[in-house]
Amino acid sequence: MFDASSGMLVGNMTTRTPTGGMGAAGLGANGQPVTADGLFSQGAVAISGSWLFAVNGGSNTLSLFRISDSDPTTLMLVGTPVDTLGDFPVSVTYSAKCKTACVLNGGKRDGVSCFAVSATGLKPLDASPRPVGLGQSANPPTGPPSTASMIAFNPKGDILAVTIKGNLNDNRLGYIGLYRVSKTGMVSRTQSRAYSIFTSQPVGAGASMIGFLPFGFAWVDDMTLSISDPSVGAVTLCISSRDPMLASIPVYKTDMAGGYAPAVFTLPEAAPCWAAYSDASGCAYIADAATGTLVEIMPKSGGKLRSVFNVTSAFGITLGSTPANTYGLLDTAAAGDLLFSVSPRSGSVVVVDVSGGSMAPRQLLAAGLPVSSMGLAVAC
């Protein structure tokens, strides 16, 4: 639990609750199950009010829990897990306004499926998913290229966004998919695609500034997203106020001499994959899966880099010596002045203070997490 007087998490913080489903791990390029980031995604769990949602990648189901009012570590399964209508669900989001949860399926039967949420459980709103065109031929999928990344409603609940990774070898472009959400909470069956690629040369050998692996993202406001992309770094995407199905990468002035550049930024990270936004600091945070670094950027100021923080060094976490056992930071979430990030190498959650104009270590939650842990959601 959170102690407001000390700003620390205290008490018995670690409980384990069966989801009623099975987990799963996708395959790497070698055809073997990957050890960390097995879903190739952000948002495997989501919290809103007293609801908690969790995807079950191995069962193709979604679980709904009610969080106890007296003890937030006590979860009660509501109804039974529901079929996601597709394969290998990897990310979930919920709109309190629409009372709707939507899941992104990342397997052979890919796509977006939505469900009505009530005190009795989850009820499908669709007969079939909205395809996202991954082109996976089997389950579990092979990645990270050509896999599904994340799904999330904007704060207002009238736009639903997904990130889909491309594959440079197959000339498959990654993209951000946008769906309209009606006033009655119905999600459109069709999508509009934005940020498919940013390049100075044709796709293929020799291409530069390729943005084909959009991964995690965070809504900065109802019309702006901060996106992580390990093939580029970070991208700011602005949705048109005239047509919410149109979006573009803004261009900002870079110097007094009249220089301009698009909001696509190379970061001092090896694998920038997970993204979060803090209303308290007004900054977005990109977590690095390789080195355990957090980068703080200001998306409303053209994505200007504010600070860089090596989390693993600050907390004394030793990474492995080879790529196979080097896991920096995975799923990341912000709440108030705090930033939370999963450190699979140490089996813990790191807590970083973002209130002082830069990042500072706050707490290391030794949760005993396995390396294969996926998903992180925070509610205060």
Side-chain angles (χ1 to χ4, degrees):
M1 297 183 186
F2 184 71
D3 181 356
S5 62
S6 66
M8 304 287 279
L9 289 164
V10 298
N12 182 13
M13 298 167 291
T14 305
T15 61
R16 299 191 178 192
T17 304
T19 65
M22 298 293 292
L27 306 180
N30 61 0
Q32 298 300 310
V34 299
T35 305
D37 185 26
L39 297 181
F40 309 120
S41 71
Q42 178 169 335
V45 295
I47 292 177
S48 177
S50 60
W51 296 128
L52 185 147
F53 305 84
V55 298
N56 302 304
S59 303
N60 301 332
T61 59
L62 174 66
S63 298
L64 170 67
F65 295 89
R66 179 177 289 279
I67 303 171
S68 169
D69 293 333
S70 58
D71 179 4
T73 64
T74 298
L75 305 177
M76 297 159 284
L77 185 64
V78 181
T80 58
V82 296
D83 192 317
T84 60
L85 310 179
D87 298 324
F88 203 71
V90 299
S91 185
V92 59
T93 185
Y94 175 68
S95 169
K97 173 187 175 183
C98 303
K99 294 182 174 59
T100 298
C102 292
V103 171
L104 179 59
N105 292 289
K108 184 177 180 180
R109 294 183 300 156
D110 64 45
V112 174
S113 302
C114 296
F115 305 84
V117 179
S118 71
T120 59
L122 299 161
K123 180 180 179 181
L125 294 173
D126 304 310
S128 62
R130 300 157 182 78
V132 293
L134 296 178
Q136 292 284 344
S137 60
N139 295 310
T142 299
S146 296
T147 59
S149 299
M150 183 177 176
I151 186 170
F153 286 101
N154 69 343
K156 189 178 178 181
D158 62 349
I159 299 173
L160 179 67
V162 298
T163 37
I164 303 297
K165 305 179 202 71
N167 191 327
L168 188 59
N169 294 330
D170 296 338
N171 283 339
R172 186 185 298 275
L173 306 182
Y175 68 88
I176 309 299
L178 302 175
Y179 298 86
R180 293 179 186 269
V181 183
S182 71
K183 293 182 179 179
T184 60
M186 298 303 295
V187 178
S188 170
R189 293 293 303 180
T190 59
Q191 67 172 206
S192 173
R193 297 186 179 186
Y195 172 54
S196 58
I197 196 165
F198 175 79
T199 177
S200 60
Q201 300 179 34
V203 70
S208 62
M209 289 298 287
I210 298 292
F212 67 96
L213 289 175
F215 199 109
F217 65 89
W219 285 100
V220 176
D221 53 40
D222 285 319
M223 307 300 283
T224 309
L225 300 96
S226 185
I227 306 162
S228 63
D229 185 329
S231 70
V232 172
V235 178
T236 298
L237 188 72
C238 293
I239 297 173
S240 170
S241 59
R242 295 183 178 180
D243 184 348
M245 292 298 98
L246 297 177
S248 61
I249 299 172
V251 175
Y252 291 92
K253 188 174 183 179
T254 58
D255 53 51
M256 298 303 292
Y260 289 85
V264 180
F265 309 96
T266 301
L267 300 178
E269 296 182 319
C273 293
W274 287 269
Y277 178 75
S278 169
D279 289 319
S281 67
C283 290
Y285 300 87
I286 309 296
D288 183 20
T291 64
T293 300
L294 282 169
V295 170
E296 185 178 44
I297 59 177
M298 297 183 285
K300 294 184 179 181
S301 298
K304 182 180 178 181
L305 181 66
R306 186 180 186 184
S307 67
V308 179
F309 183 61
N310 191 310
V311 173
T312 51
S313 295
F315 287 99
I317 299 170
T318 302
L319 298 181
S321 59
T322 65
N325 64 4
T326 298
Y327 309 115
L329 299 175
L330 302 187
D331 285 83
T332 301
D337 291 331
L338 301 178
L339 192 70
F340 301 79
S341 193
V342 174
S343 169
R345 181 65 179 170
S346 64
S348 62
V349 176
V350 298
V351 186
V352 177
D353 191 321
V354 300
S355 63
S358 62
M359 292 176 279
R362 172 62 71 87
Q363 191 175 6
L364 182 66
L365 305 179
L369 300 174
V371 172
S372 59
S373 298
M374 284 296 300
L376 174 69
V378 180
C380 294

